[in-house]
Amino acid sequence: MKKIIIPTALFAFTLFYAQKNQNYLEISYGSVCCGPASDKPVMSFLKEFKNKSQIKSLEVLIQKGMGREGEYTLYVGTDFLTKNQKKRLIRGLTATVSNQNNSKKSQSVGNVTFDSTAVVTQSDLTDAKNLTIYKK
């Protein structure tokens, strides 16, 4: 039993202290019948935003295993952004998500949801399961 509890506690402790941000924007990928939509448009926007804004690092967390069909959620850290950068990030994410939902080729592809007014804090994520740093 100790062999399971100690590594799990160590991993949770490490992930909690590896997170640099306290506030995150939440982007959820839902499913209709055949799996969630791709995260490529959003991740492409984030990469472009990071390069244009000359940001050294942009923390993105992913929480997988949210449902039977592979639903997941992305969390984008906002603490190290200026007010202007944060406004541009929110505006760009809103447009990207809207374009992605409006240009679906099939109704069976899941929807992407983004609420620009909702902020998720680090304390909200401490008990989240399947939460890792996004790497692709």
Side-chain angles (χ1 to χ4, degrees):
M1 187 71 167
K2 286 182 183 179
K3 290 181 181 180
I4 295 172
I5 294 174
I6 292 174
T8 304
L10 183 63
F11 176 74
F13 178 79
T14 305
L15 181 64
F16 178 75
Y17 284 102
Q19 294 176 351
K20 297 178 180 110
N21 288 288
Q22 296 291 323
N23 299 299
Y24 296 87
L25 297 174
E26 179 180 29
I27 306 162
S28 299
Y29 290 82
S31 175
V32 175
C33 78
C34 305
S38 172
D39 64 358
K40 281 187 180 182
V42 169
M43 292 311 295
S44 294
F45 167 75
L46 290 175
K47 185 177 180 180
E48 183 180 318
F49 176 80
K50 179 183 166 191
N51 292 336
K52 281 186 178 181
S53 300
Q54 299 175 345
I55 299 170
K56 291 182 181 178
S57 67
L58 189 63
E59 185 178 21
V60 180
L61 304 175
I62 184 168
Q63 184 178 16
K64 293 184 177 180
M66 305 285 290
R68 291 184 176 186
E69 296 180 353
E71 292 89 348
Y72 59 96
T73 302
L74 295 177
Y75 298 98
V76 181
T78 60
D79 287 350
F80 298 108
L81 301 175
T82 64
K83 286 183 182 181
N84 187 27
Q85 287 174 332
K86 187 175 177 182
K87 285 180 186 177
R88 287 187 296 135
L89 175 67
I90 289 172
R91 200 175 329 127
L93 283 173
T94 303
T96 303
V97 167
S98 178
N99 288 341
Q100 185 173 3
N101 285 332
N102 292 335
S103 65
K104 291 191 300 183
K105 292 181 176 140
S106 170
Q107 291 301 323
S108 62
V109 175
N111 287 324
V112 183
T113 57
F114 173 63
D115 181 5
S116 61
T117 60
V119 176
V120 179
T121 63
Q122 184 180 20
S123 60
D124 295 333
L125 298 176
T126 54
D127 295 330
K129 296 182 182 195
N130 303 327
L131 186 67
T132 59
I133 296 172
Y134 186 91
K135 293 180 183 175
K136 226 177 198 181

